[in-house]
Amino acid sequence: FQHLRDKGDNATLAALVAVKLYPLVIRYRADVIVFGGGIIERPGFFENVKAELKKRGARQPIRRSGLERNAAAVGAAMLFQ
């Protein structure tokens, strides 16, 4: 992951994320798939990962988080409520 991220190959990175994420989507019966943080700011990443997930059979809505770069911090803070 880090090698592809640092290389800047967003299409290949999106394919890898989809391959690793989709089994979790199936296992946990996700109702929606949400991407946030800095990764969705990469040019074309969100569109590529969305296409890759759909190619693998994802039927769930695939959305961008409204929290953008703060997604990880907000998620971590919610663990302590």
Side-chain angles (χ1 to χ4, degrees):
F1 174 83
Q2 291 173 345
H3 174 71
L4 288 174
R5 180 197 64 198
D6 295 343
K7 190 176 173 185
D9 184 353
N10 292 331
T12 305
L13 180 61
L16 174 67
V17 169
V19 165
K20 299 295 185 181
L21 179 64
Y22 192 59
L24 297 172
V25 169
I26 294 169
R27 181 175 183 169
Y28 294 104
R29 299 182 188 136
D31 293 326
V32 64
I33 302 167
V34 180
F35 286 91
I39 196 165
I40 63 169
E41 294 176 9
R42 292 173 161 268
F45 175 82
F46 180 74
E47 293 76 16
N48 286 333
V49 77
K50 191 173 179 178
E52 290 290 338
L53 284 165
K54 288 186 178 209
K55 188 171 21 175
R56 284 165 176 72
R59 304 269 186 264
Q60 299 83 347
I62 302 169
R63 307 266 191 256
R64 290 177 178 260
S65 168
L67 300 173
E68 298 176 2
R69 286 191 159 271
N70 298 320
V74 170
M78 291 178 71
L79 292 174
F80 295 101
Q81 288 186 356

